[in-house]
Amino acid sequence: MKHLLTALIAFTLTATAAEPEVIPIQVRENLRIVYQVTDDTLHEGVNKGLFYARKLINTYQKHGIVPEQVHLHLVYHGTGIAAVVKDEARKRLGAEAANPNAEILAELVKRGVQVELCENTMQQKGVKPSELMPGVKLVVGAFPRLIDLQLQGFAYIKFE
């Protein structure tokens, strides 16, 4: 019995020390993703939605999925507006620092990511179209846009 217990413990330790299986990406084309970003929360110095958008695209590329197969939209509204406007507008919105997102936003737009802002939010916050960061597009409303994209088969992820 003692030998059986010792063998069982040894097997358990060996089994748990083995690397877990990594589940591969199953869908490799026509990937449709929409992020809803409602806040200007920072992660590693940039807006959380932008950070994870870059991470997602990089992960797909690392696994051989070409950028043309990734259709990613980031729909900003609410206090998330501060992530996609120029410094002067950020100050009026109560942000203390300059916009740290210019570089990552430009990179993502260049890589084909659609960065979109709710026109209703922009009007409610008193932001002019000229105060948007380059590459940011306007949508008539965040919720109608999110509904449209989900009805087109986009996977939905919310960032707060």
Side-chain angles (χ1 to χ4, degrees):
M1 185 67 152
K2 184 177 179 184
H3 295 293
L4 181 59
L5 186 58
T6 303
L8 184 58
I9 291 171
F11 174 78
T12 303
L13 291 175
T14 304
T16 57
E19 289 294 317
E21 178 184 352
V22 176
I23 299 170
I25 297 169
Q26 303 292 312
V27 179
R28 303 182 63 80
E29 56 187 37
N30 197 25
L31 297 154
R32 296 172 174 213
I33 309 104
V34 58
Y35 288 1
Q36 177 184 5
V37 189
T38 61
D39 199 356
D40 188 29
T41 302
L42 297 182
H43 186 78
E44 294 191 17
V46 294
N47 177 263
K48 193 175 185 179
L50 296 169
F51 176 87
Y52 282 105
R54 178 170 57 193
K55 187 172 182 176
L56 179 67
I57 291 173
N58 288 344
T59 299
Y60 281 137
Q61 279 193 310
K62 178 181 169 187
H63 290 274
I65 298 171
V66 295
E68 294 78 26
Q69 292 299 328
V70 181
H71 309 284
L72 178 57
H73 294 252
L74 281 67
V75 179
Y76 281 82
H77 66 108
T79 58
I81 189 174
V84 297
V85 296
K86 296 176 183 171
D87 292 347
E88 295 155 14
R90 276 179 65 85
K91 286 179 187 174
R92 281 198 328 272
L93 295 170
E96 295 179 18
N99 194 329
N101 301 311
E103 188 176 311
I104 190 171
L105 198 148
E107 172 196 336
L108 289 171
V109 168
K110 187 175 180 182
R111 293 174 81 180
V113 174
Q114 299 290 317
V115 180
E116 304 168 352
L117 175 64
C118 171
E119 186 178 39
N120 291 332
T121 296
M122 186 186 77
Q123 291 170 353
Q124 289 169 355
K125 303 284 185 181
V127 173
K128 300 176 190 107
S130 61
E131 295 177 303
L132 301 180
M133 300 287 282
V136 175
K137 297 179 180 181
L138 287 176
V139 295
V140 295
F143 294 126
R145 182 63 171 161
L146 291 165
I147 292 165
D148 279 351
L149 291 172
Q150 288 180 73
L151 291 174
Q152 292 174 44
F154 280 71
Y156 167 80
I157 300 171
K158 182 176 183 178
F159 284 90
E160 297 182 277

